[in-house]
Amino acid sequence: MSEASERLSPSRLRGRDVLRVGAAGLRARPARVFLSALGIAIGIATVVGVIGISSSSREDLLRQLDRLGTNLLTVEAGQTMFGGETRLPTGSLDMVRRIAPVTTAAATGSVDATVRRTGMISENVTGGIAVRAADGELLTTLEGEMRSGTWLNAATGRYPAVVLGSVAAERLGVTRPGVQVWIGGRWFTVVGTLGALPLAPEIERSALVGFEAAARYLGFDGHPTTIYERSADAAVEAVRDVLPRTVNPENPEEVNVSQPSDALVAKAAAAGAFTNLMLGLGAVALLVGGVGVANTMVISVLERRKEIGLRRSLGATRGQVRTQFLAESLLLSVLGGAAGAVLGALATFGYATSKDWPAVVPSWAFGGAVGATLVIGTVAGLYPAMRAARLPPTEALATT
């Protein structure tokens, strides 16, 4: 008796055997496995893609901020305590330039005129383009670049010459310098067009003439509308505090100071809300995929009752049967999760490339995808596995 006991040992299912048996169960139903894995793949692809695109957008924003700087401040006229309009003093730009930490400053002033390709076009058709008087230091202060031609200088700033913002040039159909446009009842020659200015979108939609030319030909009164200034990064807050009192010592409350880079940060925050919505949709897709996996495994248990009975009669324990079906569920989920992660990464790279963004897919997104698939596989396969383990061998073998 003791010798027989020594020869008999409980059956064992090693890790390699679990994978082989689980994979064999999936290979027996390829179409059903594909459709079930597809649900998981769509959910994981949505989550990874949304995280990747959001991260790529955020990285592009950070690079823009690094390139453009966060030390640009703008000064504009506010309102009186009774809601009336105010104007910045004519000498306010010089006063701003006297602030010690300020490295460069420039101003623009609104001009009561319209810009059109010819005088035959109605004055009401403005195309959303404003005419502004511009200081010669504006391009340096905004750290902008010329798309074509040259910026206003001491000579062109006195005569009917104009520089068009990038959007203004597109709306007017101007692609090169030398073209003439109709401003304030006379022709102005386009001497250049600007590149994009993310921190000053109002300049992109403007036709810019020199202060002297604006006063001589367009009746500009000399009051700046907006002052742009840059200072050392460490001094931005200090300069921001003294700007209102410097520009308008008598009524500093009538001066508005803003930081254009805040608009980019707000844009990222708005995009984050959209990202959360898409992540919610991805979670719903994952839930649907998990239900599909659970349904597949339940049907598999019903169809393979004879196999379960045979394995039990040959010595397989309930735990081993449970492990087998749980392994099938996990493999099915991991298969869909891996495919979804690849699809999500490809979608991120494709979208980021189309937008000229740096493609970024955080490593934690892949880790989260793997963790999500393991959780889904475990939850979806737990009930079918337990149901299979509870089947009595005789009852399972008797199934027709």
Side-chain angles (χ1 to χ4, degrees):
M1 187 70 176
S2 59
E3 293 180 2
S5 301
E6 291 177 358
R7 288 197 301 270
L8 294 176
S9 61
S11 61
R12 292 180 298 173
L13 200 62
R14 294 172 295 182
R16 183 174 58 185
D17 299 326
V18 171
L19 293 176
R20 187 171 66 249
V21 172
L26 296 181
R27 286 196 300 268
R29 304 173 307 282
R32 190 182 300 167
V33 167
F34 172 78
L35 292 176
S36 298
L38 183 61
I40 299 292
I42 292 174
I44 292 296
T46 302
V47 172
V48 173
V50 168
I51 293 174
I53 291 173
S54 175
S55 299
S56 299
S57 175
R58 189 176 298 108
E59 181 65 22
D60 180 66
L61 171 64
L62 292 176
R63 293 188 182 186
Q64 282 191 51
L65 290 175
D66 288 341
R67 183 174 67 255
L68 301 172
T70 58
N71 61 341
L72 177 68
L73 296 178
T74 61
V75 181
E76 296 178 311
Q79 294 181 329
T80 66
M81 60 187 306
F82 300 106
E85 294 184 358
T86 63
R87 295 192 299 177
L88 298 178
T90 55
S92 56
L93 177 60
D94 291 332
M95 291 187 285
V96 170
R97 286 172 173 167
R98 293 192 188 101
I99 300 175
V102 172
T103 56
T104 179
T108 62
S110 295
V111 177
D112 186 16
T114 59
V115 55
R116 292 161 287 158
R117 282 304 301 263
T118 71
M120 305 300 294
I121 299 174
S122 171
E123 292 185 1
N124 296 324
V125 183
T126 64
I129 304 172
V131 179
R132 300 175 190 269
D135 180 76
E137 295 295 318
L138 182 64
L139 188 66
T140 301
T141 303
L142 295 179
E143 296 184 359
E145 296 179 353
M146 299 298 300
R147 179 179 293 175
S148 63
T150 59
W151 176 244
L152 298 170
N153 53 41
T156 56
R158 298 195 207 120
Y159 299 104
V162 61
V163 172
L164 298 177
S166 57
V167 176
E170 292 174 5
R171 292 179 180 175
L172 290 171
V174 176
T175 58
R176 57 182 175 79
V179 177
Q180 290 190 317
V181 293
W182 189 260
I183 303 177
R186 65 172 300 142
W187 292 106
F188 276 68
T189 302
V190 177
V191 295
T193 59
L194 293 171
L197 293 169
L199 293 184
E202 67 279 1
I203 300 300
E204 295 179 333
R205 294 163 175 79
S206 298
L208 307 168
V209 299
F211 265 67
E212 290 187 44
R216 180 182 301 175
Y217 303 111
L218 302 175
F220 177 55
D221 60 8
H223 287 273
T225 305
T226 305
I227 297 175
Y228 304 87
E229 72 80 29
R230 285 189 186 270
S231 56
D233 291 337
V236 170
E237 291 303 319
V239 172
R240 187 171 191 164
D241 292 338
V242 302
L243 274 174
R245 295 190 298 274
T246 302
V247 172
N248 192 344
E250 295 182 0
N251 300 293
E253 71 280 357
E254 296 179 359
V255 177
N256 294 331
V257 180
S258 61
Q259 194 166 7
S261 59
D262 291 343
L264 293 178
V265 177
K267 181 180 178 181
F274 178 74
T275 298
N276 293 334
L277 173 62
M278 294 302 296
L279 286 176
L281 295 177
V284 172
L286 277 178
L287 178 61
V288 173
V291 172
V293 171
N295 183 60
T296 297
M297 296 308 302
V298 169
I299 295 175
S300 178
V301 170
L302 294 176
E303 291 179 344
R304 298 162 63 189
R305 297 179 71 175
K306 283 191 175 181
E307 176 192 335
I308 296 169
L310 180 60
R311 288 182 59 82
R312 289 295 312 279
S313 64
L314 292 176
T317 65
R318 288 186 175 184
Q320 290 170 347
V321 173
R322 187 165 51 244
T323 300
Q324 172 191 346
F325 281 89
L326 193 58
E328 286 188 25
S329 177
L330 285 171
L331 285 173
L332 179 57
S333 297
V334 169
L335 179 64
V342 172
L343 290 174
L346 290 176
T348 298
F349 279 92
Y351 190 82
T353 301
S354 69
K355 294 288 187 179
D356 290 328
W357 293 348
V360 178
V361 181
S363 57
W364 60 264
F366 288 108
V370 173
T373 54
L374 292 178
V375 171
I376 290 172
T378 302
V379 173
L382 193 58
Y383 170 72
M386 294 178 64
R387 180 171 180 172
R390 286 198 301 265
L391 282 175
T394 54
E395 180 182 335
L397 287 172
T399 303
T400 56

